[in-house]
Amino acid sequence: MSETKANENEQQDDLLSNLPHHALVNIISKVEDGKDLKSLRLVSKRLKAISDREMVERVKQLTFYYFYPIDFLCKFYTKVTRVSIRISCSHYPDNAFERIISIVKNNLPMINELEIDGKCTEFVLELVANSFPHLKSISYTYYMDGQYCSTVFRK
Amino acid sequence: MSAIKFETSDGFTIQVERETAVVSKVVKNFLEYHPTDKCTFHLNCVDNATLRKVVEWMRHHKDDAYIETESDESDEERSQDVSIEMDPWDANFLNEDLFFLLDILNAANFMKIKVLFKNCCKKIYLMSKGKSSVEIKRLLKERCDFTDEDLQRIANKYEWMARVN
């Protein structure tokens, strides 16, 4: 039965034009791989519009290095819940961490998880706690005496 | 036992037992406000073959607890539901060609059968997973309304977006 239907429909083109918009959004929301999303964006204008929106609005967990365009990324992605900051590199300026925190605080004050890769002082933890009132967890990892140590604070 | 009649777009009438028919939110909502034993639903965009397939799904799932409790979801809930796991019976049931699958999806959307709708979306996604844009165009018979220059520009400009997860 379905074979007959397939033959009838083979003449039609643009199969998606009859699909409701939320069906396409639902299908694209399943795409996990960035490569697959990129393929969908090159199919047609309609799929590109939905895929682009999906990329921007998907709940994100961002990792920042000092040299990243952090300000741009913070503004671009609208739903960021978790941020990881990598500051353990020795050639970063002394105020690298404060600068990153300041940008993230201005753009993403609602994040609820923060991970810091680098040694944290009490001053840093206090700065973080005051900057992000919605934080549920702060964790930091550092290298000491030949091994990695990790500390997690949860609300 | 009371029954509900469905009239399809190609002129067929199918009688379905009430407890199966109420798997459709459209039917359920209507019967809540208009209690009656005699009722015919005209499905202008669902043909006979598709409705029979949908009714088979409704019969199989009519006793499932989640059918009773499902609600209309917001955009946010929908975007968070990224799971592609599916009941094995459903996965096998939806092993159909894309044309028929789209008909089932449209019927599920029209009749407000959320789980079937979602599963059709998952199945269509799995069909396109890992394919290149050219293969997806061929699969969906989607008209590419980009020029070659557009395609090159998009591929270059948003390359980084595809890499940020």
Side-chain angles (χ1 to χ4, degrees), chain B residues 5-36:
Chain B
K5 281 181 185 170
F6 290 105
E7 203 176 286
T8 62
S9 59
D10 45 355
F12 288 85
T13 302
I14 297 175
Q15 196 158 303
V16 179
E17 54 281 14
R18 189 187 174 101
E19 59 267 33
T20 298
V22 294
V23 170
S24 156
K25 265 282 177 77
V26 170
V27 176
K28 190 181 177 195
N29 291 345
F30 180 84
L31 293 177
E32 270 177 19
Y33 292 101
H34 309 88
T36 175

Side-chain angles (χ1 to χ4, degrees), chain A residues 7-67:
Chain A
N7 293 335
E8 280 170 13
N9 285 315
E10 251 169 38
Q11 301 305 316
Q12 293 179 4
D13 50 358
D14 195 359
L15 289 180
L16 300 182
S17 59
N18 291 327
L19 273 189
H21 181 78
H22 66 278
L24 274 180
V25 173
N26 200 311
I27 292 168
I28 290 174
S29 71
K30 309 282 181 275
V31 181
E32 292 166 2
D33 188 2
K35 209 172 151 194
D36 282 347
L37 264 181
K38 195 184 160 200
S39 296
L40 283 170
R41 284 175 30 251
L42 293 169
V43 171
S44 66
K45 286 181 181 171
R46 189 180 180 200
L47 282 185
K48 178 183 176 298
I50 299 173
S51 305
D52 281 356
R53 187 171 168 232
E54 177 65 24
M55 270 201 261
V56 171
E57 294 200 343
R58 184 169 281 187
V59 173
K60 288 274 176 195
Q61 302 185 356
L62 297 180
T63 300
F64 293 139
Y65 290 84
Y66 181 66
F67 54 85

Side-chain angles (χ1 to χ4, degrees), chain A residues 71-84:
Chain A
D71 195 37
F72 171 73
L73 290 171
C74 286
K75 288 190 171 91
F76 190 86
Y77 291 109
T78 55
K79 290 182 185 167
V80 178
T81 56
R82 182 174 191 273
V83 167
S84 297

